[in-house]
């Protein structure tokens, strides 16, 4: 056989086996066979772009954009690196600072939307996730979960360990947690890597346990890093936003909105989006991509790649317009693995008949100077009992107050 004929024959065979993981049909960009018996070929353009850090000056804050009738201002600043937020039914605002290993309490005693008292109420190495339930606070570190009693003045009793054997953090050590409508504790455990087979079956999952930490088991798997999650206030269904895989290009992998149910598999690291194949990590053993895709639950909705969804809070207040009720606010931390930045904002996830249907910008403007600089990478978002929301930034150590 002549060399050029042989080459064309091989290409024809490979292209017949191929499944393109990109938005293009050009097989030169991606040839991903079902099994390892044939070579995989994928060309992906990767970018690193981190906007420069600017200060959170009054001038920068004044140009922030919110919907008509809303206002945004500093609730507190000089806070170090505030991450996850939790707000008690008395209006006490708690923020974790993983780097400092503390939980902060901020009080607004004169209800003017600005904190006038700050204290440290817990010291726990790499404290991150916070959840309040029945006058107790649950705090997640990397491998441990603690519980503390909440005192009348907002301080906490000495935290007690209820779980001590979560797996190592690796690339995603930022555990979050919440108590579900069933009275059980849900804990997110991110992957140790960008995309790889995990040796510990508890990584890339949501774990569920009793409130005392007993009976711990994997609730759902194949979730690369679902920091933001919560239960719809009408349907009781659990929704979460998962971080997409890096280094698949500017537009891949899009961030996923998943309806999370017990014992389901959401595809990571082999399948992403609506059944696309990850070229860098084929399924283990004799399982083909298509077989693994059949085991995968696909997202209900997706969002721009690399925006990095963080905390998520369903709106339960009465202060905002009526159509905000039961929608979710999500902090989009912001990209670094994209040529043009995405994220750096708070978005509203609009629900209709209990299902998410679209995203809308809610709080924007943290990218400045033509997207060359930013003055916030957002992490936390929580609803205050008065119906306003709080937003945390761990770049300049600010918590913002958004009201109408």
């Amino acid at each position: 056989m002549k060399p050029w004929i042989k080459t064309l024959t091989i290409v024809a065979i490979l292209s017949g086996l191929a499944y393109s993981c990109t938005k293009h049909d050009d097989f030169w960009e991606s040839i991903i066979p079902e099994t390892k018996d044939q070579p995989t070929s994928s060309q992906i353009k990767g970018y690193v772009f981190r906007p420069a850090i600017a200060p959170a000056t009054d001038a920068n804050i004044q140009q922030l954009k919110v919907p008509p009738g809303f206002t945004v201002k500093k609730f507190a600043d000089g806070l170090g690196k505030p991450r996850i937020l939790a707000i008690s039914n008395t209006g006490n605002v708690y923020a974790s600072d993983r780097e400092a290993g503390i939980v902060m309490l901020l009080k607004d005693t004169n209800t003017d939307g600005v904190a006038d008292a700050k204290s440290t109420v817990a010291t726990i190495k790499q404290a991150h996730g916070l959840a309040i339930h029945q006058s107790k606070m649950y705090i997640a570190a990397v491998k441990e979960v603690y519980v503390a009693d909440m005192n009348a003045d907002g301080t906490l009793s000495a935290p007690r360990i209820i779980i001590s054997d979560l797996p190592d953090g690796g690339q995603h050590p930022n555990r979050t947690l919440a108590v579900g409508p069933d009275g059980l504790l849900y804990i997110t455990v991110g992957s140790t890597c960008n995309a790889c087979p995990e040796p510990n079956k508890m990584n890339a999952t949501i774990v569920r346990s009793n409130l005392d930490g007993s009976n711990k088991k994997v609730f759902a798997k194949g979730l690369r890093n679902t920091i933001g999650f919560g239960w719809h206030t009408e349907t009781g269904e659990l929704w979460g936003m998962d971080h997409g895989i890096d280094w698949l290009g500017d537009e891949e992998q899009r961030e996923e909105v998943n309806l999370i149910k017990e014992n389901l598999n959401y595809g990571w690291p082999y399948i992403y989006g609506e059944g696309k194949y990850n070229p860098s990590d084929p399924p283990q053993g004799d399982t083909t991509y298509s077989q693994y895709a059949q085991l995968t639950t696909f997202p209900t909705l997706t969002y721009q790649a690399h925006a990095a969804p963080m905390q998520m809070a369903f709106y339960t207040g009465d202060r905002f317009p009526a159509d905000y009720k039961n929608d979710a606010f999500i902090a989009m931390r912001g990209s670094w693995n994209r040529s043009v930045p995405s994220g750096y904002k708070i978005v509203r996830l609009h629900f209709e008949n209990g299902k998410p249907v679209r995203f809308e910008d809610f709080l924007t403007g943290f990218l400045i100077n033509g997207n060359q600089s930013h003055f916030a990478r957002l992490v936390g978002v929580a609803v205050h009992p008065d119906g306003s929301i709080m937003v945390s930034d761990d770049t300049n150590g600010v918590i913002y107050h958004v009201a109408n």
Side-chain angles (χ1 to χ4, degrees), residues 94-97 100-105 119-125 127 130 137 139 146 148 155-159:
Y94 298 87
S96 63
D97 183 333
I102 61 172
V103 178
M104 296 174 276
L105 165 62
S119 59
T120 296
V121 293
T123 301
I124 296 171
K125 184 179 180 181
L130 303 177
M137 177 171 285
I139 305 167
Y146 298 78
T155 59
L156 304 180
S157 68

Side-chain angles (χ1 to χ4, degrees), residues 232-244:
H232 189 273
T233 41
E234 289 182 326
T235 67
E237 291 181 321
L238 176 57
W239 295 92
M241 281 213 68
D242 199 35
H243 285 220

Side-chain angles (χ1 to χ4, degrees), residues 248-382:
L248 291 176
D250 265 12
E251 305 302 333
E252 298 286 8
Q253 177 193 351
R254 291 175 64 85
E255 317 293 27
E256 296 186 351
V257 180
N258 291 305
L259 175 57
I260 302 173
K261 295 185 176 182
E262 187 171 7
N263 297 325
L264 292 188
N265 181 350
Y266 292 85
W268 183 91
Y270 310 119
I271 303 295
Y272 68 93
E274 295 78 12
K276 298 177 182 180
Y277 298 178
N278 178 10
S280 65
D281 288 284
Q284 294 182 303
D286 297 327
T287 304
T288 66
Y289 277 106
S290 61
Q291 289 170 339
Y292 206 88
Q294 291 173 14
L295 304 174
T296 297
T297 298
F298 299 153
T300 302
L301 206 63
T302 61
Y303 188 79
Q304 191 173 37
H306 311 300
M310 303 298 282
Q311 192 168 9
M312 172 180 177
F314 279 96
Y315 188 72
T316 54
D318 297 317
R319 182 168 181 164
F320 292 0
D323 64 345
Y324 279 81
K325 194 86 167 185
N326 305 316
D327 285 355
F329 290 107
I330 301 157
M332 295 294 182
R333 180 164 172 75
S335 63
W336 59 270
N337 186 215
R338 200 170 190 275
S339 59
V340 178
S342 62
Y344 299 90
K345 64 178 69 173
I346 299 292
V347 299
R348 173 189 176 190
L349 178 55
H350 184 62
F351 281 72
E352 293 180 1
N353 300 315
K355 303 298 180 186
V357 293
R358 66 180 180 274
F359 288 94
E360 298 173 1
D361 284 351
F362 180 73
L363 171 58
T364 64
F366 293 103
L367 283 168
I368 57 175
N369 302 328
N371 291 341
Q372 296 302 299
S373 304
H374 73 90
F375 63 95
R377 296 193 75 196
L378 307 173
V379 182
V381 59

